[in-house]
């Protein structure tokens, strides 16, 4: 048994921040545990490398869901399993969320999470290529880039978007209007800036910081009501680690409730069904999970132009790879999505409620994998940024290897249905007007069979897919039955906190990598203040 002051479970967006900040004091002995392995594969650092690292199960979890929607399809929720977590394999979108949404947390009785505090964190952690401003930071550890390109199809999309009334802005994170711009991505000088590379790799040789990979946290250990350690497994070896001060769970919206439940913290009926003794009754562990749901379309272009033609064969990929190694530029040096837009599902709204992404590329619709088509095209996806329909994530057994039971629920609340139904029409209208319309031959999917609001909602459930932005399974709040308090302390036990996307009780108008980074930073503030 090894003793530490702090044990951090999970080396993703929040866990990496915590490892950096808690180990700044040489008097703190810190252990960072990661179930995945090191990020030594070069594809973890090449931005477009996620097309390869997302495949298979070496670097990712692929959690099956319960049947979804009218067709009862089983989907897969993908999360990162490597140093850096999902920030090492995602599409790198640095979509931060909006002032009104963080201020809503304070209105919900959760002090210390208002926009003023959150913006200060963003400005501290960012090294933005647009330079510092009142709305962004420069000189921080995390590289963020807005990379413009001169692709003619992208220029045509931008022109059509402006004709639709959307503002073209340099920094989409600095506004809360209907807008479009190049996507902010966690990239610095053509290299992915994962949370581990930004916050931990530069300080990994601190003598008071221990990093263990290929190590799965199975159970929390207790002395009475206090969490004192973690029981782990690495291959066939088992080991217990103890913490003198605190244990911080940062394993994400899926794994965090499972670890709590295996350790006896959760809903009594759920624990009993898995054969786990109740230690702390916490009725919302694994409940109140909110995930976004997409609506996508793809159009075919009249001519073979754009990045599809640069990357749709292995020889072309090899050539672009050689150019990238020499210059850190080219189509594989940029993020997953060229353009990001925020727009309203209804003109009566006072602010955007939909996020849209545009890519001047076409996928091969006959392939089950992410394979590019022979022809050129444009992909568009839109999704409601603040859905309210809730699902759940629970354990299926007491062993760490037992799969979760993910009841993914979408579009059940009327407000979610009203916001999602117009998304396809907005995308079609934009692509059928203005300069971009001259480039388009036809719509490949979903086609005219999906036109009415009900058809769009059915299509979203059948083919839209989750966005892998789930929050809420260990949500913070002011009430005694909320899983964690506003300082992220797990109610009912001492010495235990949760710091990841699972603590967010609502979606905050963006993706989850950026807000989860903030969660890690604010968690470190609370931990250091209390100890």
């Amino acid at each position: 048994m090894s003793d530490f002051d702090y044990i951090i479970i999970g080396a993703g967006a929040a866990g990496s921040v915590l490892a950096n900040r808690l180990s700044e004091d040489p008097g703190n002995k810190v252990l960072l545990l990661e179930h995945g392995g090191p990020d030594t594969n070069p594809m973890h650092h090449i931005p477009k490398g996620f097309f390869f690292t997302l495949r298979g199960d070496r670097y990712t979890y692929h959690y099956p869901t319960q049947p979804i929607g009218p067709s009862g399809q089983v989907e897969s929720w993908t999360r990162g399993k490597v140093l850096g977590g999902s920030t090492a394999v995602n599409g790198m979108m640095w979509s931060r969320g909006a002032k009104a949404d963080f201020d809503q947390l304070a209105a919900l009785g959760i002090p210390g999470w208002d926009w003023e505090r959150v913006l200060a964190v963003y400005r501290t952690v960012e090294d933005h290529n647009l330079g510092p401003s009142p709305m962004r930071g420069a000189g921080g550890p995390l590289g963020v880039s807005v990379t413009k390109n001169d692709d003619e199809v992208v220029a045509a999309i931008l022109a059509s978007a402006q004709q639709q009334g959307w503002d073209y802005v340099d920094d989409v994170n600095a506004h809360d209007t209907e807008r479009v711009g190049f996507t902010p991505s966690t990239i610095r000088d053509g290299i992915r800036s994962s949370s581990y590379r930004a916050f931990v790799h530069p300080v990994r040789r601190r003598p008071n910081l221990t990093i263990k990979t290929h190590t799965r946290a199975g159970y929390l250990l207790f002395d009475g009501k206090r969490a004192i350690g973690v029981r782990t497994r690495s291959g066939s070896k088992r080991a217990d680690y103890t913490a003198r001060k605190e244990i911080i769970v940062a394993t994400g919206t899926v794994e965090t409730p499972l670890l709590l439940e295996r350790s006896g913290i959760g809903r009594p009926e759920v624990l009993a069904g898995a054969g786990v003794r109740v230690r702390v009754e916490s009725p919302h562990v694994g409940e109140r999970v909110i995930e976004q749901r997409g609506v996508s379309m793809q159009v075919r272009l009249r001519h073979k132009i754009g990045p599809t033609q640069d990357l749709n064969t292995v020889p072309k990929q090899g050539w672009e790879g050689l150019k990238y190694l020499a210059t850190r530029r080219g189509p594989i040096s940029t993020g997953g999505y060229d353009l990001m837009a925020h727009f309203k599902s209804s003109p009566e709204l006072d602010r955007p409620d939909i996020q849209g992404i545009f890519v001047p590329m076409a996928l091969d619709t006959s392939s089950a994998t992410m394979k590019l088509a022979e022809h050129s095209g444009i992909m568009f996806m839109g999704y409601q940024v603040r859905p309210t329909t809730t699902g759940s994530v629970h354990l299926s057994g007491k062993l760490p290897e037992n799969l979760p039971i993910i009841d993914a629920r979408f579009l059940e609340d009327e407000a979610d249905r009203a916001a999602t139904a117009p998304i396809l029409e907005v995308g079609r209208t934009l692509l059928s007007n203005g300069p971009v319309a001259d480039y388009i031959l036809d719509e490949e999917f979903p086609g005219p069979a999906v036109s009415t609001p009900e058809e769009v909602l059915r299509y979203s459930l059948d083919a839209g897919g989750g966005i892998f932005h789930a929050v809420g399974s260990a949500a913070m709040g002011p009430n005694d039955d909320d899983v964690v308090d506003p300082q992220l302390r797990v109610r009912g036990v001492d010495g235990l906190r949760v710091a990841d996307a699972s603590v967010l009780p609502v979606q905050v108008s963006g993706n989850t990598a950026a807000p989860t980074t903030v969660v890690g930073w604010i968690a470190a503030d609370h931990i250091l203040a209390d100890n």
Side-chain angles (χ1 to χ4, degrees):
M1 183 176 288
S2 300
D3 291 328
F4 295 86
D5 292 297
Y6 299 106
I7 298 175
I8 303 161
I9 307 172
S16 293
V17 172
L18 283 157
N20 176 301
R21 296 201 61 210
L22 298 184
S23 65
E24 282 180 324
D25 182 347
N28 288 330
K29 191 177 179 183
V30 178
L31 172 63
L32 177 63
L33 300 175
E34 169 57 44
H35 183 207
D39 62 342
T40 51
N41 186 331
M43 291 299 165
H44 289 307
H45 313 298
I46 299 172
K48 286 291 199 307
F50 71 90
F51 279 98
F52 302 97
T53 56
L54 284 175
R55 300 173 184 175
D57 57 6
R58 183 173 182 180
Y59 304 115
T60 52
Y61 302 95
H62 297 279
Y63 304 105
T65 67
Q66 297 297 294
I68 292 173
S71 66
Q73 67 175 358
V74 174
E75 297 180 352
S76 178
W77 281 15
T78 302
R79 306 305 301 151
K81 185 175 61 174
V82 62
L83 288 174
S86 294
T87 69
V89 298
N90 65 6
M92 296 158 287
M93 294 169 66
W94 186 248
S95 183
R96 302 188 315 186
K99 177 183 187 299
D101 299 293
F102 284 104
D103 286 344
Q104 179 191 0
L105 297 181
L108 292 173
I110 308 172
W113 293 85
D114 57 274
W115 177 245
E116 182 178 1
R117 177 75 188 97
V118 168
L119 178 60
V121 176
Y122 281 138
R123 294 186 67 202
T124 299
V125 303
E126 290 175 348
D127 183 20
H128 207 297
N129 75 333
L130 295 182
S133 80
M135 287 294 291
R136 61 179 174 266
L142 183 71
V144 179
S145 297
V146 175
T147 304
K148 299 180 180 180
N149 65 53
D150 56 2
D151 181 87
E152 62 179 293
V153 177
V154 170
I157 297 171
L158 281 172
S160 292
Q162 291 174 82
Q163 287 190 19
Q164 193 148 307
W166 300 353
D167 298 326
Y168 169 55
V169 296
D170 287 333
D171 183 359
V172 294
N173 281 321
H175 305 269
D176 198 16
T177 59
E178 288 195 296
R179 62 202 185 276
V180 63
F182 288 92
T183 303
S185 302
T186 48
I187 297 171
R188 180 192 281 129
D189 298 327
I191 299 173
R192 175 191 287 266
S193 187
S194 75
S195 58
Y196 175 80
R197 284 283 153 170
F199 294 99
V200 182
H201 189 264
V203 302
R204 68 193 184 283
R205 302 197 191 282
R206 285 176 177 168
N208 62 325
L209 175 61
T210 300
I211 303 167
K212 289 191 175 291
T213 57
H214 299 298
T215 302
R216 182 161 200 168
Y219 311 91
L220 300 170
L221 305 175
F222 295 86
D223 181 6
K225 291 187 65 176
R226 184 171 187 83
I228 61 166
V230 184
R231 178 156 294 163
T232 71
R233 188 183 68 221
S234 180
S236 61
K237 296 180 180 179
R238 289 171 170 77
D240 291 348
Y241 302 97
T242 58
R244 286 181 287 269
K245 294 182 178 179
E246 292 197 28
I247 298 165
I248 306 100
V249 180
T251 51
T253 295
V254 175
E255 287 289 338
T256 285
L258 303 184
L259 177 57
L260 295 178
E261 289 177 336
R262 289 197 302 269
S263 305
I265 303 171
R267 299 169 67 89
E269 67 273 20
V270 171
L271 303 187
V276 176
R277 181 177 67 86
V278 177
R279 180 176 296 276
V280 175
E281 183 175 344
S282 187
H284 295 302
V285 169
E287 296 289 316
R288 305 193 290 193
V289 175
I290 304 174
E291 168 65 303
Q292 297 161 337
R293 191 71 179 179
V295 179
S296 59
M297 66 179 294
Q298 178 169 297
V299 297
R300 185 196 314 261
L301 301 185
R302 297 180 184 277
H303 307 291
K304 291 188 174 183
I305 56 175
T308 305
Q309 302 307 316
D310 295 330
L311 296 167
N312 61 0
T313 68
V314 172
K316 291 178 182 178
Q317 293 168 6
W319 174 240
E320 290 297 335
L322 289 173
K323 291 197 294 184
Y324 169 81
L325 291 175
T327 66
R328 295 290 187 268
R329 296 180 180 178
I332 66 174
S333 70
T334 59
Y337 312 97
D338 292 65
L339 297 175
M340 178 190 296
H342 290 256
F343 57 90
K344 300 176 185 179
S345 62
S346 170
E348 289 77 26
L349 297 176
D350 60 355
R351 50 192 291 256
D353 60 338
I354 307 297
Q355 181 165 290
I357 49 180
F358 294 88
V359 186
M361 301 175 77
L363 289 177
D364 182 351
T365 57
S366 66
S367 174
T369 61
M370 286 193 295
K371 180 181 178 183
L372 292 178
E374 292 185 4
H375 59 271
S376 298
I378 299 171
M379 291 183 286
F380 163 76
M381 174 181 282
Y383 48 93
Q384 183 191 13
V385 287
R386 297 183 295 276
T388 54
T389 300
T390 60
S392 63
V393 177
H394 291 296
L395 81 175
S396 64
K398 65 173 67 176
L399 300 178
E401 55 267 30
N402 294 144
L403 289 172
I405 300 173
I406 300 177
D407 184 13
R409 309 187 75 86
F410 305 98
L411 306 182
E412 294 180 0
D413 292 358
E414 183 54 40
D416 295 353
R417 296 171 64 83
T420 301
I423 291 175
L424 190 58
E425 183 58 30
V426 172
R428 283 171 169 162
T429 299
L430 188 150
L431 294 175
S432 63
N433 291 301
V436 73
D438 294 335
Y439 288 84
I440 296 172
L441 178 63
D442 58 24
E443 181 179 316
E444 288 192 89
F445 64 79
V450 178
S451 298
T452 68
E454 284 303 317
E455 289 168 347
V456 172
L457 294 172
R458 174 66 184 259
Y459 169 64
S460 179
L461 289 173
D462 286 349
I467 313 296
F468 310 141
H469 294 163
V471 302
S473 61
M476 60 179 162
N479 302 317
D480 290 343
D481 61 354
D482 291 320
V483 180
V484 300
D485 67 15
Q487 290 75 43
L488 307 183
R489 297 172 295 203
V490 176
R491 286 188 166 91
V493 297
D494 297 323
L496 180 64
R497 297 191 206 231
V498 173
D500 55 36
S502 71
V503 306
L504 296 172
V506 296
Q507 294 276 1
V508 289
S509 293
N511 299 11
T512 46
T516 304
T517 302
V518 170
V519 168
W521 192 275
I522 294 179
D525 283 344
H526 288 306
I527 293 166
L528 293 170
D530 289 348
N531 293 282

